[in-house]
């Protein structure tokens, strides 16, 4: 909606929310680009979207509503058809008798309001101003439930797959598989599964054949959930359809295959990485979903804070050496690498990467996708990168001795190298590199810092507070030093100087209808090990993981368990979550 710029300027300046020079620059940019002034203010980080919308609502005399988390009853939502709601950014969200409250981005859009009024002359339309995120949340709710959609597809059309399946069992031919992949019900099953996976913020889709059925599972916030059971007769068609999309061999059922494809709609753009594996009852498929328009998060948003954050910033400022991130698959290592590159990405440096896959596109960074089929591996890609005059090199993963040797040599010859390793704790990265035939004296000369990490689910909605009892403390003593935890909590000012373990206040999630688990989104818990002189000496002696970790703790390193405990005491996650990811 339009608010006169000078009026908005006076309001923002009087509230001390913006400098006059910043406002003038935003107004100039708005006039040059044709964008709304409010849009420019939000893009430039001068004001948050919700706060701006509230000010616009106040200045125009129209009430503001936040519907970003609201679950709207379907009978109210459907008063305005989805095409109208999507085209005009208008949502029916509350109805009382004949009064219908509608949330809009532009409550002055009288033509749309009049159109809705004509559809039901008895309704009194009450416009409200809301945020673009609120509109997006409501538009997602137009989607039918997964069960309903699959019920319609399978109940009405799944018979088509039965004959094809029997023909394939008799003798699977390429033409028959292509025909199965092109059948309408199969296409709808795959499309619907992917659509709901995206709506539910799924990272991986598993399609698993059993003797009598096909099970579809979604991994959401690191946890796998069964979402749908499909007839076993649809298995061959689903596999064939995904192979067609991924450009894989349809008639190859004995060997694993890897591929990828893209999904693009008006609302989202995803890259899908596909892995097909032969199993006893057929072929299992796992699809990794990567949003292409996702912005890289900052280190603070990922959960790095205090001493750990300062150590990483200090090491990122060094022009040479190696920074390693360790953890199992799905622990957010690549996301942390991108956050670091976001800090390093300035016009006076050349950053080049070798990745598998490229998860986020970053401007001004030269990103290379690994392609093993044509011989472009991490090692060959890294060898080529060194000849590209880079200041900073990011290698998606050190998988073998050749890549490890090249990465260490790149760090020795004046580059800053960022990479990942699969180890469970920070101290384990050093024995792992030695195991890859890297000389200990080279490791001690190049390694700057090692970061181990896991992802824990964050709370969503209400929380239930509680304190530890004696049994809880005895149980926790198996996994951490309680006295040290208490000392850390006092230093973080979570506990007062005279308080002890009995005064630690923790939280559990309160499940809701919207989020049954009580969790939504994830944050990192970290273990940051700077390679100082004492650690370098242990490296040259080929010390064990335990010896390296003990020395690092003496030097002030906070373990992952301790970092997780502090985040739990600060109300960011639950202690159960921390124990789940560390003990597993």
């Amino acid at each position: 909606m339009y608010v006169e710029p000078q009026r908005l300027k006076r309001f923002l300046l009087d509230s001390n929310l913006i400098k006059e020079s910043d406002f003038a620059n935003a107004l100039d940019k708005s006039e040059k680009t044709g964008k709304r002034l409010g849009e420019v203010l939000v893009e430039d980080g001068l004001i948050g979207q919700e706060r701006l919308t509230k000010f616009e609502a106040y200045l125009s005399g129209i009430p503001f509503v936040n519907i970003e988390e609201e679950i709207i009853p379907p009978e109210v939502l459907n008063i305005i058809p989805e095409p109208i709601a999507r085209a005009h950014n208008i949502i029916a969200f509350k109805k009382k008798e004949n009064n219908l409250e509608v949330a809009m981005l532009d409550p002055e859009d009288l033509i749309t309001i009049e159109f809705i009024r004509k559809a039901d002359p008895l309704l009194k339309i009450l416009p409200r101003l809301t945020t673009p995120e609120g509109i997006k949340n409501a538009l997602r709710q137009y989607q039918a439930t997964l069960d309903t959609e699959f019920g319609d597809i399978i109940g009405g059309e799944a018979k088509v797959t039965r004959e094809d399946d029997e023909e394939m069992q008799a003798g699977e031919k390429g033409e028959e598989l292509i025909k199965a992949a092109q059948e309408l019900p199969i296409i709808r099953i795959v499309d619907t599964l992917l659509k709901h996976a995206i709506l539910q913020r799924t990272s991986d889709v598993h399609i698993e054949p059993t003797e009598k059925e096909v099970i579809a599972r979604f991994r959401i916030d690191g946890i796998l959930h069964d979402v749908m059971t499909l007839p076993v007769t649809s298995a061959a068609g689903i596999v064939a359809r995904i192979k067609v999309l991924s450009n894989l061999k349809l008639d190859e059922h004995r060997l694993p295959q890897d591929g990828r494809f893209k999904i693009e709609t008006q609302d989202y753009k995803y890259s899908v990485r596909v892995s097909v594996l032969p199993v006893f009852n057929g072929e299992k498929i796992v699809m990794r979903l990567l949003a292409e328009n996702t912005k890289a998060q900052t280190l603070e948003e990922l959960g790095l804070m205090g001493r750990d954050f300062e150590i990483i910033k200090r090491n990122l400022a060094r022009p040479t050496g190696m920074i390693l991130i360790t953890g199992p698959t799905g622990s957010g290592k690549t996301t942390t690498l991108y956050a670091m590159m976001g800090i390093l990405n300035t016009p006076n440096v050349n950053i080049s990467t070798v990745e598998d896959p490229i998860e986020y596109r970053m401007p001004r960074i030269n990103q290379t996708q690994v392609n093993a089929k044509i011989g472009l591996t991490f090692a060959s890609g890294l060898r080529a990168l060194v000849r590209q005059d880079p200041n900073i090199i990011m290698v998606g993963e050190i998988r073998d001795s050749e890549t490890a040797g090249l990465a260490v040599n790149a760090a020795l010859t004046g580059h800053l190298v960022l990479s990942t390793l699969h180890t469970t704790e920070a101290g384990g990265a050093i024995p792992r590199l030695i195991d890859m035939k890297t000389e200990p004296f080279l490791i001690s000369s190049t390694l700057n810092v090692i970061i181990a990490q896991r992802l824990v689910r964050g709370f969503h909605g209400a929380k239930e507070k509680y304190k530890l009892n004696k049994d809880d403390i005895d149980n926790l003593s198996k996994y951490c030093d309680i006295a040290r935890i208490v000392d850390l909590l006092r230093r973080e000012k979570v506990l007062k100087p005279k308080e002890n373990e009995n005064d630690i206040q923790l939280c559990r999630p309160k499940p809701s209808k919207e989020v049954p688990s009580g969790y939504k989104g994830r944050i990192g818990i970290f273990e940051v090990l700077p390679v100082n002189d004492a650690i370098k000496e242990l490296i040259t002696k080929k010390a064990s993981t335990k010896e390296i970790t003990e020395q690092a703790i003496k030097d002030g390193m906070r373990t992952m368990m301790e970092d997780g405990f502090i985040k739990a005491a600060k109300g960011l996650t639950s202690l159960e979550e921390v124990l789940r990811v560390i003990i597993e």
Side-chain angles (χ1 to χ4, degrees), residues 43-69:
E43 276 181 4
D44 290 354
L46 298 171
I47 190 169
Q49 179 67 63
E50 183 174 334
R51 177 171 275 189
L52 175 69
T53 309
K54 283 180 178 177
F55 286 150
E56 290 178 338
Y58 176 80
L59 291 171
S60 60
I62 295 166
F64 170 81
V65 291
N66 187 336
I67 58 169
E68 290 180 20
E69 303 289 341

Side-chain angles (χ1 to χ4, degrees), residues 155-302:
E157 302 174 280
K159 290 178 184 176
V160 181
T161 65
R162 190 178 301 276
E163 291 176 12
D164 292 339
D165 194 55
E166 285 168 2
E167 286 176 12
M168 286 174 213
Q169 287 171 3
E172 293 186 349
K173 297 177 183 177
E175 291 178 6
E176 291 167 349
L177 287 165
I178 292 169
K179 183 182 174 185
Q182 292 172 343
E183 293 288 357
L184 184 61
I186 291 298
I187 292 172
R188 285 186 62 197
I189 284 172
V190 174
D191 288 354
T192 303
L193 199 61
L194 288 169
K195 178 182 74 176
H196 281 275
I198 289 166
L199 289 171
Q200 294 180 43
R201 301 176 303 107
T202 301
S203 62
D204 300 86
V205 177
H206 292 237
I207 300 172
E208 303 169 352
T210 65
E211 188 179 352
K212 296 181 180 178
E213 59 197 10
V214 178
I215 298 167
R217 301 200 285 171
F218 290 170
R219 188 179 293 279
I220 302 168
D221 290 336
I223 308 291
L224 271 172
H225 305 269
D226 284 9
V227 293
M228 183 51 56
T229 302
L230 298 162
V232 71
T233 51
S234 65
I238 291 170
V239 170
R241 174 63 183 165
I242 293 169
K243 283 183 177 179
V244 166
L245 290 171
S246 313
N247 199 25
L248 300 177
K249 293 178 181 177
L250 281 165
D251 55 352
E252 177 56 78
H253 307 289
R254 298 170 300 168
L255 294 173
Q257 295 189 74
D258 294 311
R260 49 176 50 87
F261 63 92
K262 289 191 177 184
I263 307 169
E264 291 187 36
T265 73
Q266 183 181 333
D267 299 322
Y268 48 74
K269 190 175 179 181
Y270 274 76
S271 176
V272 184
R273 189 172 64 183
V274 177
S275 171
V276 182
L277 180 73
V279 292
F280 185 76
N281 290 297
E283 290 173 277
K284 180 190 172 184
I285 292 178
V286 176
M287 293 182 281
R288 167 69 57 91
L289 306 181
L290 301 164
E292 293 197 350
N293 54 1
T294 302
K295 291 181 181 177
Q297 292 177 277
T298 64
L299 292 175
E300 296 99 318
E301 288 168 342
L302 294 173

Side-chain angles (χ1 to χ4, degrees), residues 426-436 443 542-546 548:
I430 294 160
R432 179 86 179 100
L433 285 172
I434 293 170
D435 188 50
M436 288 180 174
I443 299 170
K542 296 188 179 181
S544 67
T545 300
K546 186 181 178 185
I548 292 165

Side-chain angles (χ1 to χ4, degrees), residues 58-100:
Y58 176 80
L59 291 171
S60 60
I62 295 166
F64 170 81
V65 291
N66 187 336
I67 58 169
E68 290 180 20
E69 303 289 341
E70 188 153 340
I71 302 297
I72 303 168
E75 64 275 12
V76 176
L77 185 68
N78 289 315
I79 290 172
I80 299 175
E82 184 181 359
I84 302 296
R86 196 173 288 279
H88 298 278
N89 291 311
I90 181 168
I91 300 295
F93 70 95
K94 188 181 288 184
K95 185 173 182 286
K96 190 174 181 181
E97 296 176 349
N98 287 334
N99 293 328
L100 181 66

